[in-house]
Amino acid sequence: MGLELYLDLLSQPCRAIYIFAKKNGIPFQLRPVELRQAEHLSEAFAQVNPLKKVPALKDGDFTLAESVAILLYLTHKYKVPDHWYPQDLQARARVDEYLAWQHTALRRSCLRALWHKFCCFPHQVMFPVFLGELVSPELLAATLAELEVNLQALEDTFLQNKVFLAGPHVTLADLVAITELMHAVGAGCQVFEGRPKLAAWRQRVEAAVGEDLFREAHEVILKAKDSAPADPTIKQKLMPGVLAMIR
């Protein structure tokens, strides 16, 4: 059995891995894991990833969890263009710098935005739609304020006046960042509005990976607001993990 990728494109790190593998012609078998059906919590999936999270990779007898580790594994195993993860020490360090920052900053903000807010109108939030829980106006306001802080940091600290986050060429940093931001877009947040520099960067990233592939990878998240409420049994399984992620 060749390379297997366990993904749900509802997940932002899964989208980054999917786009990277497709863009670079890496052959893989897609193993869908339906997060909204709690398939990641099954004992069968635990045999692949004991952490019970997506994404996960299986390469023969070798298994690997954590999205950044998977992306780096793919860059090292397959012959991909150098710009994704440059050999130049300082250029690579810039990619590493962003990948280290984003876990507890932009990723957290965009994930919380998706769950707390469906669109830019008050009281339309994902908890009532999917999990049937209410989010206070205070929590929603705090979530959006946190997102704004991290968007500003993305522009001022990482993008600055460069073409891409780490320099003149698209890298893993850009791919991870754009898939995170599309989580907030899926919630209806206009993250690129009033930010022409960030909007122009988005267009460059889309062009670099290919508009058709970009659209395909993000189709699920852009339709997230149409999700039906979770089955009560599934909700009970999902709620502890969801609350741990977004509070």
Side-chain angles (χ1 to χ4, degrees):
M1 183 67 69
L3 179 70
E4 300 171 74
L5 295 177
Y6 292 76
L7 309 174
D8 184 339
L9 297 185
L10 184 66
S11 155
Q12 61 273 49
C14 288
R15 294 195 297 272
I17 290 168
Y18 182 83
I19 291 172
F20 183 77
K22 285 275 194 175
K23 175 65 179 177
N24 289 289
I26 296 173
F28 69 93
Q29 181 69 44
L30 177 63
R31 302 297 188 195
V33 180
E34 289 284 343
L35 294 174
R36 286 173 288 191
Q37 296 301 317
E39 291 181 2
H40 59 300
L41 302 178
S42 70
E43 289 307 313
F45 181 65
Q47 300 302 308
V48 178
N49 182 7
L51 298 175
K52 297 185 177 182
K53 295 181 179 181
V54 291
L57 172 151
K58 193 170 188 290
D59 193 3
D61 294 331
F62 178 73
T63 59
L64 186 64
E66 296 300 321
S67 57
V68 170
I70 291 171
L71 284 168
L72 294 181
Y73 179 84
L74 295 177
T75 64
H76 295 319
K77 175 165 183 175
Y78 296 93
K79 190 178 172 100
V80 302
D82 180 72
H83 64 79
W84 288 109
Y85 194 57
Q87 291 297 313
D88 177 82
L89 179 63
Q90 293 187 357
R92 176 173 288 194
R94 287 297 178 209
V95 177
D96 290 336
E97 180 182 38
Y98 177 78
L99 294 177
W101 173 79
Q102 56 91 24
H103 285 292
T104 56
L106 193 65
R107 181 168 191 225
R108 179 176 184 272
S109 293
C110 292
L111 186 64
R112 283 163 56 88
L114 179 73
W115 282 97
H116 291 170
K117 180 178 172 60
F118 249 171
C119 65
C120 293
F121 298 98
H123 313 305
Q124 292 184 324
V125 293
M126 189 162 182
F127 259 29
V129 173
F130 187 59
L131 292 182
E133 302 293 329
L134 295 177
V135 174
S136 71
E138 293 79 14
L139 180 57
L140 179 57
T143 295
L144 298 180
E146 178 190 84
L147 177 60
E148 283 299 311
V149 168
N150 285 317
L151 287 173
Q152 200 63 49
L154 179 66
E155 275 196 317
D156 296 345
T157 303
F158 295 98
L159 183 56
Q160 299 177 358
N161 293 312
K162 301 190 295 292
V163 179
F164 294 102
L165 294 181
H169 304 291
V170 68
T171 69
L172 294 179
D174 300 284
L175 188 53
V176 170
I178 195 63
T179 50
E180 296 292 349
L181 289 181
M182 292 306 290
H183 237 50
V185 172
C189 296
Q190 305 299 319
V191 296
F192 300 104
E193 189 172 295
R195 294 182 181 274
K197 186 188 298 186
L198 205 61
W201 164 81
R202 171 188 171 170
Q203 291 181 337
R204 292 192 293 270
V205 177
E206 285 192 39
V209 303
E211 292 181 3
D212 290 342
L213 177 57
F214 188 89
R215 188 180 307 110
E216 175 192 347
H218 289 96
E219 183 177 4
V220 173
I221 193 62
L222 294 178
K223 293 181 178 178
K225 62 181 179 297
D226 300 323
S227 300
D231 175 270
T233 303
I234 299 296
K235 173 187 169 180
Q236 187 175 16
K237 291 180 180 179
L238 292 175
M239 186 65 85
V242 171
L243 293 178
M245 287 191 301
I246 66 175
R247 284 185 174 171

